[in-house]
């Protein structure tokens, strides 16, 4: 695909369809992508229109745009050309270039920060992996790769405000809430091991080393993002929770049920040191390594237990544990869904 006169790789399946149809996919997808953007905006609006979201927006408005000097644009802003024509892919590419800020020269995952699967499919394509495979097989495998990197793609899109569109013209598994840092760690370790599993199962020995190096780069790339990551709503939740705790009045929040206010105040009192995160990360990494080798579903349950013990400070309060697990339901459902798809096809 050519964008602004330059060739831009959007995947093997897209390239094949382009060649067959003799048209630029962006033209045929413009209307659909416009609908996707509208849906994405509704998701963002629903977050920002919540009472916590309003407070967050108000705080940002008071502070002004951080690091937005004269002549600079926000990463998430969409500028409409005078002609009124919206070139969605060109906007996406420009946003990605702004976020990358030259770092793509030494880390290729900055070339596609919200489509990191493209780097893996490009490597496979260059080494003949897709030769003699049907279009449908290619499509399904690239969708699987996209599913695997989905958590990190989604996190990066939110962290750098680059939107939710991927180059397949669809949402990354639909609207999802912001992940906590602990969830992001689990998501990264799961995806790293999933990619390693596929490499071991499907690639010839001469291709495994190069693919493994790409996985290592993917992991280090996302480790840096996670280390700096902060869920923007957690600060507000903590402030509200501490306020409720100070009053010792779980009826104090008219916006929340009594039980939710109670658990929010319990959550607000829990803080974690960098050392605690490192120990948690090490434990999660070890469990996914074991799962990669054995595919024992009991290990996925162990991952959840490690997560819950970490985020609840090892409480035995079943209701509070259930409350915290429900908040992470989307992340762990996605992890389980990914592995189910992989193992059904390649076990």
């Amino acid at each position: 695909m050519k964008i602004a006169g330059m060739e831009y790789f959007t995947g093997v399946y897209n390239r094949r369809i382009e060649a067959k149809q003799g048209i630029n996919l962006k033209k045929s997808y413009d209307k659909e992508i416009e609908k996707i953007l509208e849906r994405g905006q509704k998701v963002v609006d629903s977050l920002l229109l919540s009472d916590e979201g309003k407070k967050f927006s108000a705080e940002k408005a008071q502070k002004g745009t951080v690091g937005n000097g004269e002549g600079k644009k926000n990463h998430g802003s969409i500028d409409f050309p005078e002609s009124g024509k919206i070139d969605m892919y060109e906007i996406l590419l420009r946003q990605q270039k702004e976020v990358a800020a030259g770092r793509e020269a030494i880390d290729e995952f900055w070339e596609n920060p919200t489509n990191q699967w493209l780097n893996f499919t490009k490597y496979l394509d260059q080494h003949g992996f897709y030769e003699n495979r049907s279009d449908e097989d290619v499509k399904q495998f690239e969708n699987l790769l996209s599913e695997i990197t989905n958590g990190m793609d989604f996190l990066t899109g939110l962290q750098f405000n680059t939107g939710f569109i991927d180059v397949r013209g669809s949402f990354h598994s639909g609207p999802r809430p912001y992940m906590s840092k602990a969830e992001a760690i689990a998501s990264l370790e799961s995806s790293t091991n999933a990619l390693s599993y596929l490499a071991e199962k499907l690639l010839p020995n001469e291709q495994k080393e190069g693919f493994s190096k790409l996985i290592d780069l993917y992991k280090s790339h996302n480790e840096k993002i996670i280390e700096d990551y902060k869920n923007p709503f957690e600060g507000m939740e903590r402030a509200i929770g501490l306020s409720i705790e100070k009053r010792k009045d779980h009826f104090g929040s008219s916006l929340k049920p009594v039980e939710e206010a109670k658990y929010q105040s319990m959550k607000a009192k829990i803080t974690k040191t960098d050392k605690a995160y490192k120990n948690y990360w090490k434990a999660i990494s070890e469990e996914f390594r074991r799962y990669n080798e054995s595919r024992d579903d009991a290990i996925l349950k162990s991952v959840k237990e490690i997560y819950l013990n970490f985020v609840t400070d090892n409480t035995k309060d079943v209701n509070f544990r259930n409350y915290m697990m429900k908040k992470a339901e989307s992340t762990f459902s996605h992890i389980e869904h990914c592995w189910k798809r992989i193992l059904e096809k390649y076990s």
Side-chain angles (χ1 to χ4, degrees):
M1 173 179 291
K2 286 190 176 180
I3 302 177
M6 297 182 66
E7 194 65 31
Y8 182 62
F9 180 67
T10 59
V12 176
Y13 176 74
N14 279 353
R15 188 181 63 199
R16 283 189 181 187
I17 299 304
E18 275 190 68
K20 286 185 177 183
Q21 294 180 346
I23 60 172
N24 192 319
L25 277 183
K26 76 177 180 57
K27 291 180 180 178
S28 62
Y29 280 169
D30 269 354
K31 289 184 179 179
E32 182 61 26
I33 295 172
E34 203 166 338
K35 292 178 183 177
I36 292 166
L37 278 180
E38 290 175 1
R39 285 161 51 202
Q41 190 60 52
K42 288 179 182 178
V43 174
V44 176
D45 289 344
S46 68
L47 287 170
L48 295 180
L49 289 175
S50 65
D51 289 277
E52 293 172 1
K54 288 177 182 177
K55 182 177 178 181
F56 177 62
S57 297
E59 289 176 353
K60 285 195 72 175
Q62 288 178 354
K63 293 178 180 179
T65 304
V66 178
N68 186 31
E70 185 178 352
K72 294 184 179 179
K73 300 174 183 175
N74 294 331
H75 291 315
S77 64
I78 296 179
D79 298 301
F80 296 88
E82 291 182 5
S83 63
K85 180 179 179 181
I86 306 173
D87 187 331
M88 298 301 175
Y89 282 117
E90 190 167 350
I91 291 169
L92 175 62
L93 183 59
R94 173 162 51 81
Q95 289 175 333
Q96 289 181 175
K97 291 291 185 183
E98 289 175 359
V99 168
R103 290 175 288 190
E104 68 274 19
I106 57 174
D107 178 354
E108 62 192 274
F109 284 96
W110 283 112
E111 292 179 358
N112 303 291
T114 56
N115 289 283
Q116 297 181 57
W117 64 276
L118 283 172
N119 296 81
F120 293 106
T121 201
K122 181 186 287 186
Y123 176 90
L124 295 173
D125 180 44
Q126 290 171 343
H127 289 82
F129 179 79
Y130 295 112
E131 289 180 8
N132 303 317
R133 292 177 184 259
S134 69
D135 291 347
E136 186 59 30
D137 285 344
V138 172
K139 179 181 180 181
Q140 289 184 11
F141 193 78
E142 288 192 324
N143 282 345
L144 179 58
L145 288 176
S146 178
E147 188 88 16
I148 291 171
T149 66
N150 173 276
M152 293 301 98
D153 292 339
F154 196 87
L155 181 80
T156 303
L158 293 174
Q159 179 79 330
F160 294 98
N161 195 25
T162 57
F164 305 95
I165 295 178
D166 69 21
V167 296
R168 295 170 304 146
S170 64
F171 266 114
H172 283 308
S173 294
R176 291 195 282 130
Y178 281 85
M179 284 191 283
S180 66
K181 189 170 184 174
E183 289 174 67
I185 289 169
S187 181
L188 175 59
E189 292 300 326
S190 175
S191 63
T192 300
N193 279 278
L195 290 163
S196 296
Y197 176 84
L198 288 178
E200 187 62 31
K201 280 285 183 179
L202 302 177
L203 298 185
N205 289 332
E206 62 269 19
Q207 294 179 18
K208 287 179 181 177
E209 183 178 357
F211 199 82
S212 293
K213 288 181 179 178
L214 197 58
I215 294 173
D216 291 342
L217 181 59
Y218 165 81
K219 186 172 184 180
S220 63
H221 170 90
N222 287 290
E223 282 175 343
K224 293 172 185 174
I225 291 175
I226 291 174
E227 286 171 0
D228 295 332
Y229 173 68
K230 289 183 180 179
N231 182 326
F233 290 100
E234 283 190 334
M236 291 184 296
E237 288 180 352
R238 178 173 169 76
I240 293 170
L242 290 175
S243 176
I244 294 171
E245 177 65 22
K246 185 176 181 180
R247 293 194 304 267
K248 297 295 182 183
D249 175 15
H250 296 138
F251 292 91
S253 176
S254 61
L255 304 176
K256 298 181 180 298
V258 174
E259 285 300 300
E260 186 173 350
K262 173 185 174 182
Y263 298 139
Q264 191 166 345
S265 68
M266 291 173 67
K267 180 185 175 185
K269 291 187 291 183
I270 297 173
T271 58
K272 298 294 180 183
T273 63
D274 289 343
K275 182 178 180 180
Y277 269 109
K278 287 181 181 178
N279 291 337
Y280 163 76
W281 202 324
K282 182 178 179 180
I284 289 291
S285 178
E286 176 60 21
E287 289 302 279
F288 274 113
R289 185 194 63 77
R290 289 179 56 226
Y291 183 69
N292 188 352
E293 295 175 351
S294 69
R295 275 80 69 192
D296 181 355
D297 287 343
I299 297 175
L300 288 184
K301 293 180 181 178
S302 174
V303 169
K304 287 185 179 181
E305 282 300 304
I306 292 171
Y307 168 79
L308 279 176
N309 288 336
F310 180 71
V311 298
T312 66
D313 262 0
N314 295 297
T315 183
K316 301 301 181 183
D317 188 323
V318 175
N319 290 328
F320 181 47
R321 290 174 74 87
N322 289 340
Y323 168 79
M324 293 300 289
M325 193 69 246
K326 188 171 181 61
K327 281 186 164 294
E329 183 178 7
S330 178
T331 295
F332 286 100
S333 292
H334 177 73
I335 288 172
E336 291 169 354
H337 175 69
C338 268
W339 280 102
K340 182 179 179 181
R341 282 189 63 186
I342 293 168
L343 297 179
E344 282 179 350
K345 185 78 172 176
Y346 302 109
S347 60

